[in-house]
Structures are given as structure tokens and as C-alpha cells.
Amino acid sequence: MESAPQTPTTAAAGDVLRVADLPGRGRGLVAARNVREGEVLLSEPPVLLYPSTLSSLASYCSACFRSLPAAATTPCASCRAAAFCFPACAAASHPRLLCAALSHGGGAALAAAAPTEAIQEPLLFLLSAYSLPEPTLRSILSLSSAPPPPPGAQDAAGLHAAVAALAPPHMLPRGFSADLTAALLAKDRGNSFAIMEPYRTGMSLELLKARAYAVYPRASLFNHDCLPNACHFDYPDRPGPGNTDIVVRALHDIPEGREVCISYFAANWRYADRQRRLLEDYGFRCECDRCQVESQWKDDDDDNNGDDGDDTMEEEGEDDAGDRGDDGMEEEEGDDATDGDDDFPHAYFFVRYLCDNEGCWGMLAPLPPSPNGDLSHVFECNLCGKLRKEEDAMPDEGTSGMVH
Ligand SMILES: C[S@@+](CC[C@H](N)C(=O)[O-])C[C@H]1O[C@@H](n2cnc3c(N)ncnc32)[C@H](O)[C@@H]1O
């Protein structure tokens, strides 16, 4: 495999974001102009989309990952294991190495090689990634790598051997090697976004799983902040093209030059859990404003009623700096929830931007401004889809699941 291409550091005309090198945190995305709350900062199609588990093949179209209709699906003519929702999706098909692996021994070989969901996810990733054209594979290799997994957590050599055994040799790309497999797995761990199963009213969000994972090269450049100024949405079941595009919107106004960050997991996680996750999975210690405040708390202050095992993406990680220094929140809008609260100066953030649907802890972002520039004042949750009017934010209840 040749060396990875360089990421351009300039913004294309019309782009809201530009790529910048930020000391101690690698590349990041910075507002190329003043941004208003709710604005769409990025809408990007995936370069790679793969099923989360073998069982998800029965529930979701293998091309567009919409929920399969109960009747009249089209099975893949080659493997018969994957299904498509429309003839157009069947024509688009699914990754050729994955299709070959699903055909191998009538599908039994893949099931035997990946008996658990923990093995299926990386194996389905590899079979899909190795099906990509070489330039696309190289664009994935240009992304930042997750740190090595703890011993015993991921058997890269075993996964490589499984790909070699399942895929016909003539279909394997140039450069196929154990090192390349290990490098790709590090990109998957550091950059894949989960596309979630559909949420239905009343269902437990704790049980909500990923239907698929996707890699978006530009969205992978967002660094993390525990008080993000943007969050991402997916709308996999919406009609029309682009249903698997990632959409990133501003939570509030962002001045030109400020770094735009998302949170890599639900924002209600407590300090120790956030730090552990960021160090282990992304290789950095977070020194954001919120972490600086919470690092001063006594251990028993650091209480959390939320579910910290419930993250919606598996992505990126590393160090601090840039020109941000804060998330722009406190200086923008006064609110009773923050007044005089020295221990928890960020309460306002949680009142306004954390979903109050029981057990959800998704992030609320304003809907985009209208074409004539009017702000929406309606907030949408990126996990359960709840819409909440701005005036319905309840200061006393909004922080009930928060770390304090
Ligand atoms: C998905 S990538 C984000 C883009 C990345 N900075 C790059 O150069 O490609 C995740 C990686 O970015 C770095 N990173 C993200 N957020 C950070 C933060 N708050 N402080 C320091 N490093 C961070 C870590 O190295 C992490 O593994």
C-alpha cells in the first residue's frame, strides 16, 4: 500500500469548516466563518458502511441500511444471506469480499469464524474495507489511529487469518498483510460512527444497538470536548438519497476561528469514566474546561445517574490546545441555572442541550435556521429524535441525571 494522502488544510469554497493543525491534538476542524446555532456544519456520505453484526443482515438492507420491509425484500443473488429493500439497492449490492465470505460454505464458515458479536464487528469491517478501491482504502488509512487495544481485547492476527481463509485469494487487494489489517483495525476503532437501530416510543434506549457502522473521513477530524459545540445526527430510515450521510449541527453560535468539537460519547458520563474511555480508546487526557473543573471535585461528588455504557459512536482520541479554550457557552447566554453555581458552572449546558427523555442522554441541537435566517427555537435529540421547544427546557429537572 502506498503512503496515505495528505489532508488539505484549507476550506473549500462554501465550506463552513476548515482543517487546522492544533498543537497537542493533531488535526481538527475550525469554523471558517461565524456560525449560527443550528446551522449544518457538515453533511457527508460514508466511504465505508458495514453491518454491525451478522444478525443485522436480516433486519437492514445491505446497501442502504434502512429497515427491511416485512415483505418483498430482494435477497442477494450471490450469497443469499444479505437482503435489499429495493431493486436499486440490489443493483448497488454490498461489499464483494463480504458477499464472498457469506457465500463460503453456505455462510457457515463466516458464522464459525465469528461466533460472537465482538468478533463479528471487526471482521465485517475488514471484509468491507478490503472490498474498497485502493484510493478509498488509503483515505481511511490517512485517519488517526486508536491506541493499541489492551492485551487480549482484539486478536488482529486471528482476524487477519479469518479474512485470508474466507476471501478468495484473487479478490484480496494488493498489499494485503497482517500489518495492513492491524492498521485498518486501529482506524476502525478510532473513527467509525455507529448508525443506530430505529428508536420507537417507549423502548429502552439502553438496549438500542448499532445497526451499522460508517466511516466519514471529514467527520473523523472532529476532536472531542466534554462540552461540545456541535453534535452529529443520522437519519437512516428517511426516504430519498443520502440516508446514511452524517449531519453535524452547531449547538450554539460559534465564532470564526474557534475549533468545532463533538462529544465521543453521551455527555452525562462522569469525569473518571470520561477520562478512562478517552485514554484507553483514543489515547489522550482531556483537559477541556469541564474536565478542569471536575478534576477538582472530591470522588464522592462525582456521582452519575446516567448510563455510561451507552455511547453512540466508536471513534477518535489525544491532547489539548488550539485557539478555543472554551466552548463558547458561558460567555454567551446568562441563565439562572448557572448563577452562583461555582461547583458546577456548566449546569446551563445540560439544561439546554441534554435530552430529558428518561434514560436517553442524547444531545439536543437546534433545528437549522430558516432560509431567511430566522432561528428555529426547536431542539432535536440526536438519539431518540425528541423535539423540544426552547422554552420547555426545565432548569430544575434538566440536570437531574448529571454529575453533581
Ligand atoms: C477522530 S480523531 C480526531 C482528529 C485527529 N485529531 C486527527 O488528527 O486526525 C481522534 C484523535 O484526535 C485526538 N483528539 C481528539 N480530541 C482530543 C482532545 N480533546 N485533546 C487531545 N487530543 C484529541 C486524539 O489523538 C484522538 O485519538
Side-chain angles (χ1 to χ4, degrees):
M1 190 71 32
E2 287 145 37
S3 61
Q6 292 291 304
T7 307
T9 53
T10 50
D15 269 5
V16 189
L17 302 170
R18 66 179 166 82
V19 182
D21 285 321
L22 303 171
R25 42 204 294 140
R27 294 163 299 182
L29 292 170
V30 167
R33 57 164 172 77
N34 290 338
V35 167
R36 301 189 72 201
E37 68 168 58
E39 263 196 74
V40 174
L41 302 167
L42 177 70
S43 179
E44 183 185 21
V47 293
L48 176 62
L49 197 53
Y50 63 97
S52 56
T53 60
L54 287 174
S55 62
S56 74
L57 292 169
S59 304
Y60 303 105
C61 172
S62 279
C64 72
F65 286 92
R66 289 191 177 89
S67 303
L68 282 170
T73 62
T74 311
C76 172
S78 301
C79 68
R80 314 294 299 175
F84 302 101
C85 58
F86 283 110
C89 285
S93 196
H94 64 145
R96 59 200 186 100
L97 282 184
L98 174 56
C99 186
L102 285 165
S103 310
H104 201 291
L110 180 51
T116 65
E117 293 188 352
I119 302 175
Q120 288 167 20
E121 187 276 320
L123 190 52
L124 293 169
F125 162 76
L126 288 171
L127 291 165
S128 305
Y130 275 130
S131 303
L132 291 169
E134 191 172 313
T136 313
L137 198 57
R138 279 193 284 125
S139 79
I140 292 178
L141 288 167
S142 76
L143 302 177
S144 99
S145 298
Q154 191 173 58
D155 175 15
L159 288 162
H160 182 73
V163 175
L166 289 163
H170 71 274
M171 290 174 80
L172 287 166
R174 197 158 59 91
F176 176 72
S177 69
D179 285 349
L180 182 57
T181 296
L184 283 170
L185 289 169
K187 306 303 177 183
D188 178 39
R189 289 193 309 274
N191 298 283
S192 291
F193 285 77
I195 298 183
M196 303 307 285
E197 290 178 336
Y199 171 78
R200 291 187 189 87
T201 311
M203 79 186 286
S204 163
L205 284 155
E206 287 163 26
L207 300 178
L208 202 59
K209 290 185 181 163
R211 67 174 80 185
Y213 292 101
V215 179
Y216 305 94
R218 195 158 172 92
S220 285
L221 298 180
F222 284 112
N223 286 322
H224 166 90
D225 198 294
C226 300
L227 289 175
N229 51 14
C231 72
H232 76 281
F233 289 81
D234 49 45
Y235 304 97
D237 282 320
R238 80 175 170 195
N243 69 306
T244 53
D245 291 5
I246 191 170
V247 176
V248 179
R249 297 212 306 265
L251 298 188
H252 51 76
D253 292 354
I254 303 172
E256 179 180 347
R258 172 129 337 140
E259 186 180 2
V260 177
C261 292
I262 60 175
S263 176
Y264 291 174
F265 37 72
N268 69 321
W269 286 22
R270 62 186 174 183
Y271 173 74
D273 292 334
R274 300 198 310 271
Q275 289 290 346
R276 190 180 314 113
R277 174 75 192 271
L278 291 170
L279 196 56
E280 286 176 5
D281 292 355
Y282 302 103
F284 71 96
R285 256 173 229 294
C286 187
E287 292 170 11
C288 72
D289 282 3
R290 180 176 163 200
C291 284
Q292 290 188 24
V293 170
E294 293 181 18
S295 67
Q296 304 302 315
W297 290 357
K298 295 193 300 291
D299 282 352
D300 54 3
D301 284 347
D302 193 11
D303 197 9
N304 179 10
N305 299 325
D307 172 14
D308 52 21
D310 183 20
D311 52 325
T312 58
M313 57 184 281
E314 31 157 68
E315 244 180 50
E316 52 254 345
E318 195 173 300
D319 238 272
D320 184 77
D323 54 356
R324 356 150 279 146
D326 65 52
D327 66 297
M329 279 304 307
E330 299 77 18
E331 64 205 21
E332 284 176 9
E333 299 152 276
D335 189 276
D336 292 347
T338 58
D339 286 351
D341 191 345
D342 294 339
D343 285 349
F344 189 38
H346 307 301
Y348 178 79
F349 181 92
F350 297 96
V351 171
R352 192 169 168 87
Y353 301 114
L354 215 62
C355 184
D356 54 2
N357 217 356
E358 193 171 349
C360 178
W361 312 120
M363 191 136 269
L364 293 163
L367 293 174
S370 68
N372 66 9
D374 291 343
L375 296 179
S376 149
H377 304 296
V378 173
F379 286 61
E380 177 190 18
C381 174
N382 69 348
L383 195 50
C384 73
K386 173 176 174 165
L387 294 177
R388 185 176 81 182
K389 287 191 193 140
E390 188 167 27
E391 63 265 29
D392 291 342
M394 305 288 283
D396 291 340
E397 294 170 17
T399 53
S400 58
M402 257 320 298
V403 281
H404 191 236

